[in-house]
Amino acid sequence: MPYVNIEVTREGGPNGDGPSVEQKAQLIAGVTDLLKNVLGKSPATTFVVINEVALEDWGIGGLPVEAYRAQAR
Amino acid sequence: MPYVNIEVTREGGPNGDGPSVEQKAQLIAGVTDLLKNVLGKSPATTFVVINEVALEDWGIGGLPVEAYRAQAR
Amino acid sequence: MPYVNIEVTREGGPNGDGPSVEQKAQLIAGVTDLLKNVLGKSPATTFVVINEVALEDWGIGGLPVEAYRAQAR
Amino acid sequence: MPYVNIEVTREGGPNGDGPSVEQKAQLIAGVTDLLKNVLGKSPATTFVVINEVALEDWGIGGLPVEAYRAQAR
Amino acid sequence: MPYVNIEVTREGGPNGDGPSVEQKAQLIAGVTDLLKNVLGKSPATTFVVINEVALEDWGIGGLPVEAYRAQAR
Amino acid sequence: MPYVNIEVTREGGPNGDGPSVEQKAQLIAGVTDLLKNVLGKSPATTFVVINEVALEDWGIGGLPVEAYRAQAR
């Protein structure tokens, strides 16, 4: 019965605009295996949902991510 | 005061690319009525938010949905 | 594949401290039927998760719910 | 450690199609300051994620937002 | 229409076991004011939901919070 | 920047009433490693939040989990 929601910024990946389909498949497989191995959860009833978030929509340190990183450089 | 979040895959509907505006309106009406009838919640303060998720972003059985379905065929 | 999250305040129900087990079962059945009837979603892969929220943790109109209601009386 | 998720309808803002980048930055700064001032939370480990929701995907009063507003006029 | 979800660890506050009722009221008021001032959102249809998370349920740096902090000392 | 929310039913674990502290630590470590290895995400800014859900609050197949399992036996 697990439901796992993974929120990541829309960056990186092969084209710099977010995780690739293959990387998302790796996340889905990895999280499902982890829940099976640690808690014995059945993969058939394990949902994994990935949510890509635009950089302007993610804040840390009181700033949008890109401004936060610029400040840290 | 209810807040209901409905996550569905971006598929189906009249054009095969997700629920239509009419179908979403039916979901909103149906959930609001359900909460009013079962728990007496006021529709005026019942929020329903629908979130369409791309197929590559939804995993089940350790695989992205389309791969999972292909494997099951 | 739907995942539905229902957030309601921890009030009402037969004992005034939140929905009863039976009412929750009605919400689960009602939402699952709605998704089957409107979007043809399979109940076997429809998750419904109910989250009860303490009154002090829910705000509306800039106030905790109970203060908001007292102000409205 | 706070994680704050802000869901708003995709409307308003300078172009009528949702909050501007500057308005989002104000929301991020404002929420982070609030958590620092009220709870002493460190901005460096405070995440704020903004989620814009299409009007057809947000229901209130049992109707999609725009139908609800039309009905209220 | 905003819906804001604030997740914080169950710590701090006057008794060290999480935010007080007053602090939560301050968060509700502050977030609602922020959305009114920045985006013109009506407080009457602004929901703020606070979710306290046990320390063992919050991870950062690959560790539960308390282990992470012990490691950092 | 990843934020991962893991929802599991409050069952299993050494005492049958949900994952143990050690199992939760394994989930936190495993998810953080996965995001580092697949997407190069920094553990220091990876949040993992675990949410245990009472069995009566989780529905599948239109039934609360325990009724669903009883029906399947």
Side-chain angles (χ1 to χ4, degrees), chain B residues 1-60:
Chain B
M1 297 305 153
Y3 167 81
V4 180
N5 183 268
I6 302 175
E7 286 195 334
V8 289
T9 42
R10 185 172 294 139
E11 61 180 335
N15 308 317
D17 59 359
S20 66
V21 172
E22 294 70 24
Q23 289 174 316
K24 292 178 184 179
Q26 286 180 283
L27 294 180
I28 290 167
V31 164
T32 304
D33 283 345
L34 181 66
L35 285 156
K36 189 180 75 174
N37 300 335
V38 175
L39 296 180
K41 299 294 185 184
S42 162
T45 50
T46 295
F47 283 0
V48 180
V49 171
I50 298 166
N51 181 23
E52 289 185 54
V53 178
L55 290 174
E56 67 183 46
D57 291 336
W58 197 299
I60 179 170

Side-chain angles (χ1 to χ4, degrees), chain F residues 15-71:
Chain F
N15 308 317
D17 59 359
S20 66
V21 172
E22 293 70 26
Q23 289 174 316
K24 291 179 184 178
Q26 286 181 279
L27 294 179
I28 290 168
V31 164
T32 305
D33 283 346
L34 181 67
L35 284 157
K36 188 180 76 175
N37 298 335
V38 175
L39 296 180
K41 299 295 185 183
S42 161
T45 50
T46 295
F47 282 1
V48 179
V49 171
I50 297 167
N51 181 23
E52 288 185 52
V53 178
L55 289 174
E56 68 183 46
D57 290 337
W58 197 299
I60 179 171
L63 296 167
V65 169
E66 292 182 298
Y68 179 75
R69 289 172 181 161
Q71 186 191 60

Side-chain angles (χ1 to χ4, degrees), chain C:
Chain C
M1 296 305 156
Y3 166 82
V4 181
N5 183 264
I6 301 175
E7 285 196 334
V8 288
T9 43
R10 187 171 292 138
E11 60 180 337
N15 309 315
D17 58 0
S20 65
V21 172
E22 293 71 25
Q23 289 174 315
K24 291 179 185 179
Q26 285 180 284
L27 294 180
I28 290 167
V31 164
T32 304
D33 282 347
L34 181 67
L35 285 157
K36 189 179 76 174
N37 299 334
V38 175
L39 296 180
K41 299 295 187 182
S42 162
T45 50
T46 295
F47 283 1
V48 180
V49 171
I50 298 166
N51 182 24
E52 287 185 54
V53 178
L55 290 174
E56 67 183 48
D57 290 335
W58 197 301
I60 179 172
L63 296 167
V65 170
E66 292 182 298
Y68 180 74
R69 289 172 179 161
Q71 186 192 60
R73 276 192 288 270

Side-chain angles (χ1 to χ4, degrees), chain D residues 1 41, chain E residues 8-13 16-19 52-53 55 65 69:
Chain D
M1 296 304 151
K41 300 294 185 183
Chain E
V8 288
T9 42
R10 186 172 294 138
E11 60 180 335
D17 59 359
E52 288 185 54
V53 178
L55 290 174
V65 170
R69 289 171 180 162

Side-chain angles (χ1 to χ4, degrees), chain A:
Chain A
M1 295 306 155
Y3 166 81
V4 181
N5 183 264
I6 301 174
E7 286 195 334
V8 288
T9 42
R10 186 171 293 139
E11 61 181 333
N15 308 317
D17 59 359
S20 66
V21 172
E22 292 70 25
Q23 289 174 316
K24 292 179 184 179
Q26 286 180 283
L27 294 179
I28 290 168
V31 164
T32 305
D33 283 346
L34 180 67
L35 286 157
K36 188 179 76 174
N37 299 335
V38 175
L39 296 180
K41 299 295 185 182
S42 162
T45 50
T46 296
F47 283 1
V48 179
V49 171
I50 298 166
N51 180 24
E52 288 185 54
V53 178
L55 290 174
E56 67 182 46
D57 291 335
W58 197 300
I60 179 171
L63 295 167
V65 169
E66 292 181 298
Y68 180 74
R69 289 171 180 160
Q71 186 192 59
R73 277 193 287 269

Side-chain angles (χ1 to χ4, degrees), chain E residues 10-32:
Chain E
R10 186 172 294 138
E11 60 180 335
N15 309 316
D17 59 359
S20 66
V21 172
E22 293 71 25
Q23 289 174 316
K24 291 179 184 178
Q26 286 180 283
L27 294 179
I28 290 168
V31 164
T32 305

